[in-house]
Amino acid sequence: MALRVQKYGGTSVADIEHINHVADRVQKAHDKGDKLVVVLSAMSGVTDSLISLAKQASKRPDKRELDALLATGEQTTAALLAMILKSRGYKAKSFLGFQAGIHTDKTSGKARILDINGQNIQSALKEGNIAVVAGFQGADEDGTITTLGRGGSDTSAVAIASSLKADVCEIFTDVDGVYTTDPRICSNARKINKISYEEMLEMAILGAKVLQIRSVEFAKKYNVPIHVRSSFSEEEGTMVVNESSDMESVVVSGITCDMNEARITLKKVPDQPGVSAKIFTPLAEAEICVDMIIQNTRSGGETDLTFTVPKDDFEQAKEISHKVAKNLGAVEILTAEEIAKVSVIGLGMKSHSGVAATMFQALASENINIRLISTSEIRISCIILAKYAELAVRTLHTAFGLDPEK
């Protein structure tokens, strides 16, 4: 008997027909004797509709109340699945985030899970219930409902799997696994059978939308095996697991593309100790995540400082940057939204040389200019113009031998 945590995304629970299909899969696993915790997202499109309603009510909806509103999407699907299972003669019990013991910090809209008290779920399982949990949500120490951000149901599922010491956390979605790149961009993309937590984390950070970043962080920290698979087939998907020696034989595992970045440059900032802190502290206080940072020193004690932020935070980041620039005496601020970040990722980069050269040569062969570059031990990222993003992905996929063999 295995303890499985299964998570179903929005497209998997898009309507009653789809939720009935989820119930079929849950039944099948239950009938094999497995204990089941099922974590659900809201129906596809519901969260966006709720945000639209909130914006009709207020130009800038209060974040606390917005969380209370958005949490109802997952509450709906959890209750509906439990109803369907009960109507079929199975014992089932639905839980909201706080009922499942998910305790978070107080950051509305982007709350982080602090701990999970799985006692209620454990009791339900001991009584023979299928536990159905509303994903994407929890509660802070005051009992206020919080949400975990886009894709937060993945994090809910992995965190619950960790708390319960589940045998596996299955992430059911509308794709049948993790691919070498986005199949919608590159028809030669191939499914990866096994990928390390480190590679998956880089891919999630860099634009792959299969798994939410914090869910992979949780899985890596607590060694939770993740099986990414399709809700609409019985095929095996991709296992996300600890690094193994054979993984380093593949130099590059995947190519990602992130169109959700914007660039800000402060021109002729004083090149003095503490200036960078004065620029980035207000951004941090506004809970804006800065990604790439490049500093180019000029003569005469001045420097240009460039950084990227998510497009959702661009207007606020620009406003803050203008205030900071004025105080620092910066000469000019330049911004760009029509950019993309393309990245190559692979454990094999630790032990193989020439990856950067191959990437730069491939982009140059298509006359694609690189605006910014950043690296890690297993990743190289380049900022380019957005109009070249898809071409860049296909070119790099071929350059690193990821196309299927003919």
Side-chain angles (χ1 to χ4, degrees):
M1 180 185 291
L3 172 55
R4 295 177 177 272
V5 175
Q6 296 186 339
K7 179 263 176 178
Y8 293 89
T11 54
S12 303
V13 292
D15 51 34
I16 287 293
E17 182 181 352
H18 283 76
I19 298 173
N20 269 291
H21 179 68
V22 168
D24 293 339
R25 298 198 76 124
V26 171
Q27 272 184 238
K28 189 173 181 180
H30 184 271
D31 290 345
K32 288 180 181 177
D34 291 341
K35 291 184 177 180
L36 285 170
V37 180
V38 185
V39 179
L40 300 180
S41 296
M43 294 180 184
S44 182
V46 165
T47 300
D48 287 338
S49 296
L50 291 171
I51 290 172
S52 177
L53 278 174
K55 288 183 177 178
Q56 291 174 46
S58 170
K59 287 184 179 180
R60 287 193 176 182
D62 179 84
K63 290 184 178 181
R64 180 188 185 278
E65 304 310 328
L66 185 60
D67 272 4
L69 176 66
L70 297 185
T72 63
E74 283 70 18
Q75 180 176 345
T76 300
T77 48
L80 288 172
L81 178 60
M83 289 177 190
I84 290 169
L85 291 168
K86 287 180 177 180
S87 72
R88 297 181 182 188
Y90 289 81
K91 293 183 71 176
K93 198 170 187 178
S94 68
F95 296 88
L96 304 186
F98 75 91
Q99 293 171 321
I102 299 175
H103 302 141
T104 75
D105 63 18
K106 294 176 176 291
T107 310
S108 298
K110 297 178 182 178
R112 299 187 72 86
I113 296 174
L114 300 178
D115 65 81
I116 295 181
N117 181 344
Q119 186 174 353
N120 287 344
I121 294 177
Q122 290 278 26
S123 297
L125 293 174
K126 285 179 183 177
E127 293 167 2
N129 284 286
I130 298 166
V132 184
V133 181
F136 175 66
Q137 61 183 260
D140 65 21
E141 63 183 5
D142 298 324
T144 301
I145 292 173
T146 57
T147 63
L148 309 180
R150 286 286 186 179
S153 293
D154 288 352
T155 305
S156 300
V158 175
I160 289 169
S162 167
S163 172
L164 299 177
K165 295 181 170 53
D167 296 285
V168 67
C169 180
E170 297 175 304
I171 305 291
F172 287 93
T173 181
D174 54 357
V175 295
D176 58 355
V178 180
Y179 277 71
T180 49
T181 195
D182 189 337
R184 294 168 298 183
I185 294 176
C186 179
S187 60
N188 287 326
R190 294 183 291 107
K191 186 171 72 175
I192 302 169
N193 294 324
K194 184 170 68 172
I195 190 169
S196 70
Y197 292 126
E198 290 84 355
E199 290 171 309
M200 190 67 247
L201 185 57
E202 289 282 8
M203 290 180 77
I205 290 169
L206 296 167
K209 301 203 168 40
V210 180
L211 287 173
Q212 201 243 19
I213 297 165
R214 280 185 285 169
S215 70
V216 186
E217 290 175 337
F218 252 102
K220 182 177 184 295
K221 183 175 181 179
Y222 296 104
N223 196 25
V224 178
I226 299 178
H227 189 184
V228 181
R229 55 192 309 192
S230 172
S231 300
F232 310 108
S233 77
E234 297 295 332
E235 286 185 24
E236 292 292 304
T238 301
M239 290 300 303
V240 186
V241 293
N242 273 320
E243 174 184 342
S244 58
S245 57
D246 62 306
M247 289 179 177
E248 286 200 26
S249 62
V250 179
V251 180
V252 170
S253 300
I255 314 291
T256 62
C257 176
D258 187 358
M259 304 288 286
N260 189 39
E261 297 234 342
R263 188 186 73 210
I264 298 175
T265 299
L266 279 66
K267 302 281 285 185
K268 295 188 177 181
V269 174
D271 189 10
Q272 299 170 357
V275 169
S276 293
K278 290 177 182 177
I279 294 170
F280 294 110
T281 297
L283 294 168
E285 289 172 348
E287 297 179 357
I288 295 172
C289 293
V290 175
D291 182 17
M292 302 170 76
I293 303 172
I294 307 292
Q295 183 169 312
N296 297 316
T297 302
R298 291 170 169 262
S299 59
E302 294 176 329
T303 187
D304 295 341
L305 197 147
T306 299
F307 58 94
T308 60
V309 296
K311 279 187 179 174
D312 289 348
D313 295 321
F314 176 58
E315 290 301 327
Q316 187 179 9
K318 188 166 63 172
E319 185 180 321
I320 292 170
S321 297
H322 274 288
K323 290 178 182 177
V324 172
K326 186 176 180 180
N327 291 335
L328 292 175
V331 171
E332 186 182 9
I333 287 188
L334 302 178
T335 61
E337 290 187 84
E338 297 306 314
I339 61 171
K341 179 169 63 177
V342 290
S343 308
V344 298
I345 301 115
L347 282 177
M349 292 170 64
K350 293 179 181 179
S351 53
H352 292 75
S353 61
V355 177
T358 300
M359 183 178 192
F360 302 154
Q361 287 168 2
L363 294 175
S365 72
E366 295 292 344
N367 204 30
I368 299 172
N369 192 31
I370 299 170
R371 305 304 175 97
L372 297 172
I373 302 167
S374 71
T375 66
S376 77
E377 193 176 24
I378 64 168
R379 178 264 304 162
I380 302 173
S381 297
C382 295
I383 293 291
I384 61 173
L385 290 178
K387 64 182 180 180
Y388 297 122
E390 294 190 4
L391 174 61
V393 168
R394 291 191 289 268
T395 300
L396 293 170
H397 199 268
T398 299
F400 285 102
L402 296 175
D403 293 347
E405 294 181 5
K406 295 182 179 178

